[in-house]
Amino acid sequence: MGAEGEHVQKLVPEFERRHPEIAVKIQGIPWTAAHEKLLTAYAGNSLPDICQLGNTWIPEFNLLEALEDLEPWLARSGAIKKEDYFPGIWETNVIANSAFGVPWYVDTRLLFYRKDVLAKAGYAHAPRTWGEWYEVSQKIKQLPGNKEKYALLLPTNEWVPFVLIGLQTGSLLLKEDNRYGDFSGPRFARGFEFLMKFYREQLAPVGVTQVTNIYQGLTEGFFVMYLTGPWNIGEFKKRLPPEMQDKWMTAPMPGPDANTPGVSLAGGSSLVLFKNSRKKEAAWKFIEYLSEAERQLEFYHITGDLPAVRAAWNDTAFTHNVYIKAFYEQLEHVVPTPKIPEWEQIAQKVQQYAEIASVQQKSIPEVLAALDREVDLILEKRRWMREQK
């Protein structure tokens, strides 16, 4: 899908040189059309042999019994070993103790920040805990000329920050075997309340209309910190002016306490083998090939996608890149979202209710109770199916 579909063809010639008996045909499709195309192919019994699949899609296609259980293939593979991957990323592919995908590239969110402004606020390092995050935000707001500016950009048109902050407190987001929402539970509520303080105390702008260009906003100091992913390393280098290039940095997520970095989301894409493939042996060889550290590194240079295999991170492209180091540390502390087909719908509801809470239209307990009611409706069919079993 997407850019990966456009560029993976560049890796094929070496594979076909090693395996002249195998010809690989790549079909690239836009992310926006991928889900519908795959479901149509499933219905028509015309799925490909292997496929790139977003981690959150794996539970849905597993429920359809479309995916090959990879445990037997992994057991005899000399190229793919579970211990070579970040644990939280590997876990996104595991359902009922069986792996149904192999991580291909990884993604997560962490803190991008203006280190010069933090220094003015008395911080020589990025905040490591929620307490430091809140304290430095207050100090940034109090700097001369910052009355109409903000410490943190926290857009309410995305769900990720609100979910990951709940995961940091140990919330599972759902309860009773993923049959009901648990957003009004004490753990998620604690994280949600923490982020809402930033809006309430004008440490973060409410809504998304105030920031039309994040690169300009960061340069002008309209905001100082932003939660985003690895794709913005290249964008910051390209879009920030030369005088800003030594003024920004990345850091792992602050956590509720000082023990470890706070967890973030386990994201990225995996490679799956479809159950009805008639060429599983050849397809598995291609998955093993794409999982080699050398291929992962080559693909990083082509696309900028971070490698799933830890060994690739030993290359100087990573060890000498000050902005990427934080991602390696963060990837050791990531967790998956609930592995159910309904998750995408639920995530959108989290975003909608975070927006309601940010403008203080309702109290936080009211918002989270309403969110749980909506999530329970989404999970109604899941409960019915479980009861039938």
Side-chain angles (χ1 to χ4, degrees):
M1 290 87 168
E4 289 74 33
E6 296 172 20
H7 295 298
V8 69
Q9 186 68 51
K10 298 170 185 175
L11 303 184
V12 171
E14 170 60 18
F15 176 78
E16 291 182 333
R17 186 193 66 78
R18 295 187 197 178
H19 302 280
E21 76 285 3
I22 302 174
V24 180
K25 182 180 178 182
I26 305 289
Q27 181 184 2
I29 50 179
W31 272 110
T32 51
H35 189 261
E36 183 179 351
K37 276 184 173 288
L38 287 171
L39 287 179
T40 302
Y42 166 77
N45 196 28
S46 58
L47 285 165
D49 298 295
I50 66 173
C51 183
Q52 170 193 357
L53 211 59
N55 291 347
T56 57
W57 293 7
I58 286 177
E60 179 179 6
F61 284 88
N62 176 69
L63 185 66
L64 294 172
E65 298 186 351
L67 302 180
E68 176 85 356
D69 182 347
L70 298 182
E71 289 300 323
W73 299 87
L74 291 166
R76 60 186 178 88
S77 176
I80 301 175
K81 301 296 180 186
K82 174 183 175 180
E83 55 269 23
D84 294 337
Y85 294 80
F86 299 101
I89 297 291
W90 184 269
E91 183 60 28
T92 63
N93 295 275
V94 177
I95 299 174
N97 297 318
S98 287
F100 289 89
V102 173
W104 188 24
Y105 68 84
V106 296
D107 181 20
T108 192
R109 306 290 179 95
L110 45 66
L111 199 66
F112 283 56
Y113 67 99
R114 284 274 302 270
K115 59 183 182 179
D116 59 325
V117 180
L118 260 67
K120 289 178 184 176
Y123 269 69
H125 57 80
R128 300 183 181 119
T129 64
W130 284 8
E132 289 185 350
W133 199 5
Y134 179 56
E135 180 185 69
V136 75
S137 296
Q138 289 179 309
K139 290 182 176 179
I140 289 168
K141 186 73 175 179
Q142 293 163 4
L143 290 173
N146 272 16
K147 187 176 182 182
E148 302 300 322
K149 296 181 179 179
Y150 301 90
L152 176 66
L153 179 62
L154 198 60
T156 52
N157 64 341
E158 57 177 88
W159 56 266
V160 170
F162 309 99
V163 167
L164 74 82
I165 212 75
L167 292 171
Q168 287 194 350
T169 63
S171 172
L172 299 178
L173 309 180
L174 306 176
K175 62 185 178 181
E176 296 183 35
D177 194 25
N178 293 330
R179 293 185 301 147
Y180 294 93
D182 194 24
F183 294 99
S184 56
R187 291 187 174 184
F188 185 86
R190 178 190 169 201
F192 196 78
E193 165 64 33
F194 172 71
L195 282 190
M196 288 302 138
K197 282 199 304 184
F198 287 84
Y199 299 118
R200 195 164 54 239
E201 299 181 19
Q202 298 186 336
L203 302 174
V206 176
V208 296
T209 55
Q210 290 178 278
V211 181
T212 56
N213 184 314
I214 63 168
Y215 311 104
Q216 183 180 346
L218 189 77
T219 299
E220 294 175 350
F222 184 73
F223 66 90
V224 176
M225 295 177 281
Y226 180 45
L227 304 183
T228 186
W231 62 88
N232 257 325
I233 293 177
E235 292 298 311
F236 274 41
K237 288 180 178 179
K238 182 169 63 177
R239 295 175 181 245
L240 297 184
E243 64 272 16
M244 274 292 299
Q245 290 301 326
D246 63 345
K247 293 185 170 74
W248 66 279
M249 189 49 66
T250 59
M253 285 296 303
D257 53 53
N259 292 334
T260 63
V263 300
S264 191
L265 295 186
S269 277
S270 295
L271 298 169
V272 300
L273 178 59
F274 284 114
K275 188 177 288 187
N276 288 344
S277 168
R278 295 191 296 266
K279 302 172 183 175
K280 290 179 184 176
E281 287 287 346
W284 180 250
K285 286 178 182 178
F286 193 53
I287 290 177
E288 289 186 317
Y289 169 76
L290 292 177
S291 302
E292 293 173 1
E294 293 81 5
R295 298 290 78 73
Q296 296 247 309
L297 187 60
E298 184 180 355
F299 204 51
Y300 163 73
H301 287 301
I302 296 170
T303 64
D305 291 338
L306 297 180
V309 178
R310 279 196 183 110
W313 290 75
N314 294 327
D315 189 84
T316 54
F318 301 103
T319 58
H320 292 176
N321 188 323
V322 293
Y323 303 112
I324 284 184
K325 287 180 180 180
F327 279 94
Y328 186 89
E329 185 175 355
Q330 187 66 68
L331 285 162
E332 295 285 9
H333 301 88
V334 294
V335 293
T337 50
K339 289 177 274 188
I340 58 172
E342 301 88 351
W343 172 249
E344 296 283 349
Q345 296 177 63
I346 292 171
Q348 293 308 312
K349 291 297 179 184
V350 173
Q351 178 261 313
Q352 292 172 22
Y353 279 89
E355 189 169 11
I356 292 170
S358 72
V359 296
Q360 302 174 57
Q361 292 177 348
K362 297 180 179 180
S363 70
I364 289 176
E366 286 178 307
V367 168
L368 295 181
L371 172 57
D372 271 342
R373 287 194 294 272
E374 292 247 33
V375 171
D376 290 350
L377 286 173
I378 293 172
L379 295 173
E380 187 173 18
K381 184 177 180 181
R382 179 179 179 80
R383 292 194 296 276
W384 179 83
M385 292 175 66
R386 288 298 175 113
E387 287 164 7
Q388 303 314 303
K389 288 184 178 181

